[in-house]
């Protein structure tokens, strides 16, 4: 069977003659003929720049953009100062690649180092990386860090984001880790059930803070129980909430993981996002991906290097606990710019606004007949209410007013909605939401 050979111009003919080939097809003689394409691709012709812009604009207008968003569940709409995207889009940042040659990548290495430093400040941990794809991947990698042949079991709270839970289940299944779920009680991790599950064959426990239902977990008590049997405590965290809640370090966590999207990354129809990982000193050699360290060069000047890099990316792959070999350096840079632009005081202000506005929203919604608060516990900026009518009807009514409602829940909570309020929401929008719900 023959195969398709594209036509060539005079310049290509000269190059083929120079290397002693009759046609372009001969460049691919090593490929078996039966798998080669023997016809032209059924593709439309090219378009001019103006035609492409028009075509892409038509496609973009089909997207639904909501004026007001009351949905979180792992991805949050926060205010992003203009300086964040302005600095992050500078060409020296956008075009930078993985710093394989530290001596000529000092600028990129410094941005990663500054990011790591701020993450350690935010989490109260000793070391951080900048290499994980998203929050769910970071959680899965944390379980691999804790893997122990003498402790084949691992625990995860049922109050975990269900999408993150699926990723962790996949990680554990492929790594032969027996994953057990700790039940929830009134929206929080059941400490009595946790006591019964903890034993000397458990390597670690993962708990999200705040959890999927927005509830603030008792990190101190959980940490004491876990460490009481010699297991590791992995705390998932919301980076904005860490400005006012106890950090993973203060709660005694061994590993802290989270989704970095709230730190200056727009929703962007689903990514790219940033997986945050940080740990205590005794776990640092198991931390996957790249870690940038600070040192001095031969002239005594401040310099930056890749630290602990002879691991999964290079020469010891067969002994590696992770296959993370890429990095999220630009997303990490964006998060670093956001944190630097905000500063500690403004981060606290934002977190307080999220909490106070969510508290006001929960009060207004719960005053409506049938929209009762499900879990009577402290929360950060998300909370769950019952829904006296079909949830789909509520979502449709809000969408008609250009409002994205909360996250519909599933299972035993299928008649409930997880609402989220960030600093972007104003009082009038909360009042409008309550008015619409009252009229249903």
């Amino acid at each position: 069977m023959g195969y398709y050979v594209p036509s060539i111009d005079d310049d290509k003919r000269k190059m083929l003659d120079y290397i002693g080939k009759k046609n372009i097809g001969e460049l691919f003689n090593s490929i078996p003929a039966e798998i080669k394409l023997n016809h032209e691709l059924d593709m439309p012709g090219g378009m001019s720049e103006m035609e492409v812009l028009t075509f892409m604009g038509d496609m973009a207008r089909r997207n639904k953009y909501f004026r007001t968003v009351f949905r979180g569940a792992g991805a949050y709409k926060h205010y992003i100062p203009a300086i964040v995207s302005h600095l992050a889009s500078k060409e020296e940042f956008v075009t930078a690649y993985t710093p394989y040659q530290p001596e000529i990548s000092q600028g990129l290495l410094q941005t990663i180092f500054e990011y790591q430093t701020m993450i350690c400040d935010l989490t109260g941990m000793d070391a951080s990386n900048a290499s994980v794809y998203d929050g769910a991947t970071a959680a899965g990698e944390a379980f691999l860090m804790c893997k122990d042949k003498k402790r084949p079991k691992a625990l995860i709270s049922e109050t975990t984001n269900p999408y993150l839970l699926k990723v962790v289940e996949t990680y554990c299944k492929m790594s032969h880790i027996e994953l057990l779920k700790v039940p929830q009680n009134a929206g929080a991790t059941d400490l009595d059930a946790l006591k019964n599950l903890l034993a000397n064959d458990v390597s670690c426990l993962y708990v999200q803070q705040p959890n999927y239902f927005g509830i603030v977990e008792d990190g101190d008590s959980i940490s004491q129980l876990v460490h009481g049997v010699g297991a590791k405590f992995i705390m998932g965290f919301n980076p904005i909430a860490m400005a006012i809640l106890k950090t993973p370090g203060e709660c005694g966590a061994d590993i802290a993981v989270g989704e970095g999207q709230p730190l200056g990354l727009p929703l962007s129809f689903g990514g790219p996002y940033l997986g945050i990982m940080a740990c205590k000193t005794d776990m640092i050699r198991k931390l996957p991906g790249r870690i940038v360290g600070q040192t001095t060069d031969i002239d005594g000047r401040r310099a930056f290097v890749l630290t602990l890099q002879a691991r999964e990316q290079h020469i010891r792959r067969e002994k590696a606990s992770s296959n993370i070999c890429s990095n999220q350096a630009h997303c990490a840079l964006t998060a670093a710019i956001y944190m630097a632009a905000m500063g500690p005081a403004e981060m606290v202000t934002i977190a307080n606004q999220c909490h106070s506005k969510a508290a006001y929203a929960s009060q207004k919604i719960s005053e409506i007949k049938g929209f009762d608060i499900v879990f009577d516990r402290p929360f950060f900026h998300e909370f769950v209410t019952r829904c006296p009518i079909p949830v789909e009807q509520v979502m449709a009514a809000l969408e008609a007013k250009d409002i994205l409602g909360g996250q519909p829940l599933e299972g035993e909570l299928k008649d409930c909605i997880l609402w989220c309020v960030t600093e972007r929401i104003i009082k009038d929008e909360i009042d409008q939401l309550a008015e619409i719900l009252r009229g249903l």
Side-chain angles (χ1 to χ4, degrees):
M1 182 177 68
Y3 52 87
Y4 171 67
V5 178
S7 60
I8 56 177
D9 55 29
D10 290 340
D11 288 336
K12 291 177 182 177
R13 169 61 61 191
K14 292 179 181 177
M15 287 190 287
L16 288 170
D17 291 341
Y18 184 80
I19 61 176
K21 300 294 181 182
K22 295 179 180 179
N23 54 56
I24 292 176
E26 288 191 6
L27 297 175
F28 305 96
N29 284 341
S30 59
I31 301 174
E34 61 268 19
I35 66 172
K36 290 180 181 178
L37 189 69
N38 61 2
H39 57 80
E40 292 192 39
L41 293 174
D42 183 17
M43 296 177 64
M47 292 187 287
S48 68
E49 179 181 349
M50 185 172 68
E51 289 173 323
V52 170
L53 289 173
T54 301
F55 177 76
M56 297 302 294
D58 291 339
M59 289 183 64
R61 279 187 286 274
R62 293 162 58 188
N63 292 323
K64 176 65 176 177
Y65 183 85
F66 292 94
R67 170 180 53 83
T68 306
V69 176
F70 285 101
R71 184 172 299 185
Y76 303 96
K77 187 176 181 179
H78 288 284
Y79 167 68
I80 302 175
I83 192 174
V84 176
S85 60
H86 177 74
L87 291 180
S89 61
K90 291 177 69 66
E91 63 181 16
E92 58 264 39
F93 295 140
V94 174
T95 59
Y97 186 57
T98 302
Y100 287 121
Q101 296 177 277
E103 65 277 7
I104 60 172
S105 301
Q106 288 297 293
L108 176 58
L109 288 170
Q110 182 174 353
T111 63
I112 297 176
F113 180 82
E114 301 295 351
Y115 161 81
Q116 292 173 179
T117 302
M118 284 186 269
I119 291 301
C120 288
D121 288 342
L122 189 67
T123 60
M125 306 303 276
D126 299 324
S128 169
N129 65 15
S131 301
V132 190
Y133 306 121
D134 53 31
T137 306
E141 293 288 334
F143 277 82
L144 298 188
M145 288 177 64
C146 299
K147 185 178 179 180
D148 188 337
K149 291 181 180 179
K150 297 180 180 179
R151 293 172 175 265
K153 296 180 181 179
L155 306 179
I156 188 168
S157 175
E158 282 189 345
T159 62
T160 299
N161 185 310
Y163 302 106
L164 184 149
L165 176 58
K166 289 182 181 296
V167 174
V168 170
E169 287 176 338
T170 301
Y171 264 82
C172 290
K173 181 179 180 180
M174 295 299 103
S175 301
H176 308 291
I177 298 172
E178 183 181 352
L179 185 65
L180 303 176
K181 299 176 185 177
V182 182
Q184 62 96 359
N185 180 21
T189 304
D190 189 328
L191 297 186
D192 290 331
L194 176 59
K195 291 178 185 177
N196 294 330
L197 287 169
L198 283 171
N200 293 332
D201 59 351
V202 172
S203 64
C204 62
L205 164 72
Y206 174 91
V207 174
Q208 192 173 315
Q209 178 76 307
N211 66 32
Y212 181 63
F213 306 120
I215 303 300
V216 177
E217 296 272 7
D218 186 354
D220 291 331
S221 296
I222 292 172
S223 179
Q224 290 176 9
L225 291 172
V226 173
H227 290 148
V229 298
K232 300 296 185 182
F233 178 26
I234 306 169
M235 179 181 279
F237 67 92
N238 179 317
I240 299 297
M242 290 302 99
I244 59 175
L245 296 182
K246 272 191 172 183
T247 67
E250 291 172 328
C251 291
D254 300 283
I255 305 173
V257 295
E259 173 55 66
Q261 180 272 324
L263 300 175
L265 296 170
L267 292 175
S268 301
F269 300 96
Y273 289 158
L274 168 68
I276 302 175
M277 290 194 78
C279 68
K280 290 296 187 181
T281 301
D282 62 342
M283 299 289 291
I284 191 171
R285 287 190 173 273
K286 294 185 178 182
L287 192 63
R290 292 168 176 80
I291 304 173
V292 175
Q294 178 178 280
T295 185
T296 54
D297 65 14
I298 194 172
D299 298 317
R301 297 173 300 185
R302 185 189 190 201
F304 301 93
V305 294
L306 285 174
T307 304
L308 299 175
Q309 62 171 318
R311 304 182 304 163
E312 65 274 4
Q313 307 96 318
H314 298 292
I315 62 174
R316 300 181 63 191
R317 295 186 180 186
E318 73 281 358
K319 296 182 179 180
S321 61
S322 169
N323 64 357
I324 291 287
C325 294
S326 183
N327 75 83
Q328 295 292 87
H330 193 264
C331 291
L333 166 72
T334 303
I337 295 172
Y338 174 87
M339 289 186 283
M342 290 298 182
E346 195 62 25
M347 291 280 287
V348 170
T349 299
I350 291 169
N352 281 328
Q353 280 204 26
C354 288
H355 174 64
S356 62
K357 290 180 177 181
Y360 176 74
S362 68
Q363 176 188 343
K364 296 293 291 185
I365 295 174
S366 63
E367 290 173 353
I368 304 169
K369 185 177 179 180
F371 286 89
D372 304 314
I373 298 293
V374 176
F375 304 122
D376 186 19
R377 290 179 180 268
F379 60 86
F380 174 53
H381 72 346
E382 291 178 280
F383 56 92
V384 179
T385 68
R386 297 282 178 197
C387 187
I389 60 176
V391 174
E392 297 79 8
Q393 185 177 335
V394 174
M395 295 299 118
L398 294 175
E399 183 174 341
K401 298 293 185 180
D402 204 18
I403 298 172
L404 179 62
Q407 172 70 28
L409 298 181
E410 299 177 350
E412 296 180 356
L413 298 173
K414 62 182 179 181
D415 62 337
C416 299
I417 299 174
L418 174 65
W419 303 95
C420 176
V421 182
T422 70
E423 82 282 6
R424 288 287 300 268
I425 299 295
I426 62 175
K427 180 177 179 295
D428 288 348
E429 291 173 323
I430 297 173
D431 292 340
Q432 182 189 14
L433 170 66
E435 183 181 347
I436 295 172
L437 297 180
R438 190 174 288 108
L440 295 177

